Amino acid sequence: MSEQPDARPSGTTEASSDALSAAGRRTFGRIPGPLLALGFVMTVVQLILMFVAVGGGNGEPATGKTAATGKTAAPAPDHTVEITYIVTGDRPSADIEYTTPHGQEDHEATVLPFKVTFTFDRETFVDVQVQNRYQHGAGNVMCTILADGVVVQQSKASGEHAVALCDGTAGVDKPLPGVPVPSLAAGAAPLPAESLLTEVVPVKQYSGRGSPVLGRVTDSDARLSYMELGGKWNRSRATEPALTGFNREQSFDAEPKWGATVRSGQVDGDLLDKATGTDRLRKLAAAVQDDRRTYAYVKGETTIRDVASQPLEVGGHDAWALVSEMHFRKYGVKSTMDLSAVVVVDTGRPRPSLLWISLPETEKKLWPDINTLIESLRAT
């Protein structure tokens, strides 16, 4: 005989009355079936609304106004710090190295004062190092680190090779009480931009009398001869090419740490790779000027502005004259520009010969000496 299903009034709950206590049976017995189902649905809806109100459901904290108070929620804390590096000193420039959010940067001959700002994550290591350039003589340098505009690190050093280092942790270092932000008063004026001639511009005749002449100088190794100058100039003398790169030199001191010079010799063999093509002498003259910038001036702090560039004939040999302004800064030197003239002569040997003349702007009245020497140049 098959089992008959329980006969239940329409609309009753699925719960068995036998599973309830007496009180439970009385309670559910007093609630009509339709109302009991509606109460369950309303309870679920209320739970969903409460969940949404507290910002759940998307895994993110609530933002904007809260349902309970109507007030704007506090923003999330800022996890970055604005770090500023400042480098100062009593010399025109220094070598600087510092950490950025993307790695380390290293800059030679940086004009002082110097300032740069980055945004770092909190608790990131930061540092800046400054070294005095020995070419300027003994000097004072100082580095400073600001965190959100407040000084948190500072260090000073003095000497020819002085090094100052500032390092710390972004957002962790405490302000240094009573330490002001260093002054960023304007330092040395920027050097003029490079200006290199590619067309022919004749050497000008400089005004004035210039120096008297004493006779001729013969450089037998370079196979050149030219006028020996008098007046302020010391007598011409032989020099050691292995030490100076030249065979002969004539000079005088224009000021305690700077002077004028006339030198002759053969072109350095390392520059010959630049002397190719139909205009090889012009290229070689430019290479010599650039070589002089490196070894006779402050490397990285000298710019060249060509003012004359022309072909010449010296005793039947092809030659090229290049006159340039060498703009520079050197501590303790009043002059900031030299007139530098180079004449390269193809004497027929593997290494061409050259005459180099340098006169500071403080001796501008002697610039006609450049004309005297170029016009007197002979190949022997």
Side-chain angles (χ1 to χ4, degrees):
M1 182 170 115
S2 64
E3 184 176 357
Q4 296 294 324
D6 292 339
R8 294 179 179 171
S10 175
T12 60
T13 66
E14 291 290 328
S16 170
S17 61
D18 294 334
L20 298 174
S21 66
R25 287 195 296 271
R26 289 195 300 272
T27 300
F28 278 94
R30 289 196 295 269
I31 301 176
L35 291 178
L36 181 62
L38 178 60
F40 176 77
V41 171
M42 292 180 64
T43 300
V44 171
V45 171
Q46 286 176 334
L47 289 172
I48 292 173
L49 291 175
M50 290 174 64
F51 187 67
V52 172
V54 297
N58 60 0
E60 296 177 356
T63 58
K65 295 182 178 180
T66 63
T69 65
K71 296 181 180 179
T72 303
D78 187 1
H79 295 291
T80 62
V81 182
E82 188 177 81
I83 295 294
T84 299
Y85 301 131
I86 296 177
V87 176
T88 55
D90 59 1
R91 297 296 180 263
S93 65
D95 297 334
I96 301 174
E97 183 177 352
Y98 50 86
T99 300
T100 79
H102 309 292
Q104 205 75 7
E105 289 193 13
D106 190 348
H107 300 276
E108 291 187 355
T110 304
V111 175
L112 299 182
F114 170 83
K115 176 183 178 182
V116 65
T117 299
F118 301 99
T119 299
F120 286 88
D121 292 334
R122 287 185 180 274
E123 299 186 1
T124 300
F125 174 78
V126 295
D127 79 315
V128 56
Q129 176 178 295
V130 53
Q131 180 169 6
N132 182 55
R133 292 176 64 78
Y134 71 90
Q135 296 94 332
H136 296 311
N140 301 305
V141 291
M142 182 173 74
C143 61
T144 303
I145 298 179
L146 310 183
D148 291 333
V150 178
V151 176
V152 294
Q153 297 287 343
Q154 191 171 82
S155 178
K156 302 176 183 179
S158 300
E160 189 174 77
H161 301 278
V163 177
L165 171 65
C166 296
D167 60 16
T169 305
V172 175
D173 298 327
K174 301 300 182 183
L176 298 180
V179 178
V181 176
S183 170
L184 292 175
L191 294 171
E194 295 270 304
S195 178
L196 307 179
L197 288 173
T198 56
E199 69 276 9
V200 172
V201 176
V203 178
K204 67 177 291 186
Q205 289 291 325
Y206 294 98
S207 60
R209 297 180 58 183
S211 300
V213 296
L214 302 178
R216 295 192 71 83
V217 174
T218 299
D219 184 339
S220 56
D221 289 338
R223 297 183 183 179
L224 297 176
S225 73
Y226 47 90
M227 286 297 182
E228 182 177 10
L229 302 171
K232 284 188 171 185
W233 294 90
N234 299 313
R235 298 302 298 261
S236 178
R237 64 186 182 91
T239 59
E240 177 53 56
L243 297 176
T244 67
F246 296 91
N247 301 321
R248 296 200 66 87
E249 177 184 73
Q250 187 174 19
S251 64
F252 73 87
D253 291 335
E255 50 184 298
K257 295 184 178 181
W258 205 245
T261 188
V262 177
R263 293 180 176 179
S264 61
Q266 289 181 276
V267 173
D268 190 326
D270 291 340
L271 301 180
L272 296 181
D273 290 341
K274 301 180 181 180
T276 59
T278 56
D279 60 346
R280 61 186 293 265
L281 293 179
R282 180 188 65 81
K283 292 178 180 177
L284 193 52
V288 171
Q289 287 283 43
D290 201 46
D291 186 65
R292 291 292 83 207
R293 165 169 51 185
T294 299
Y295 293 103
Y297 298 88
V298 179
K299 183 179 180 180
E301 297 183 45
T302 304
T303 59
I304 298 176
R305 294 181 62 84
D306 295 340
V307 294
S309 181
Q310 74 171 94
L312 298 174
E313 185 177 295
V314 176
H317 297 271
D318 290 336
W320 197 279
L322 180 61
V323 182
S324 308
E325 295 176 351
M326 294 285 193
H327 292 268
F328 63 95
R329 285 187 295 267
K330 184 175 176 63
Y331 179 72
V333 175
K334 181 179 179 181
S335 179
T336 59
M337 190 269 280
D338 279 4
L339 203 58
S340 175
V342 171
V343 182
V344 176
V345 183
D346 185 355
T347 60
R349 294 186 295 173
R351 290 170 58 192
S353 297
L354 68 88
L355 176 69
W356 176 53
I357 311 141
S358 178
L359 278 159
E361 63 180 346
T362 52
E363 298 291 339
K364 193 172 183 177
K365 63 182 179 298
L366 297 183
W367 282 1
D369 290 353
I370 292 174
N371 302 119
T372 299
L373 290 164
I374 292 177
E375 293 167 2
S376 70
L377 187 60
R378 301 288 183 268
T380 60

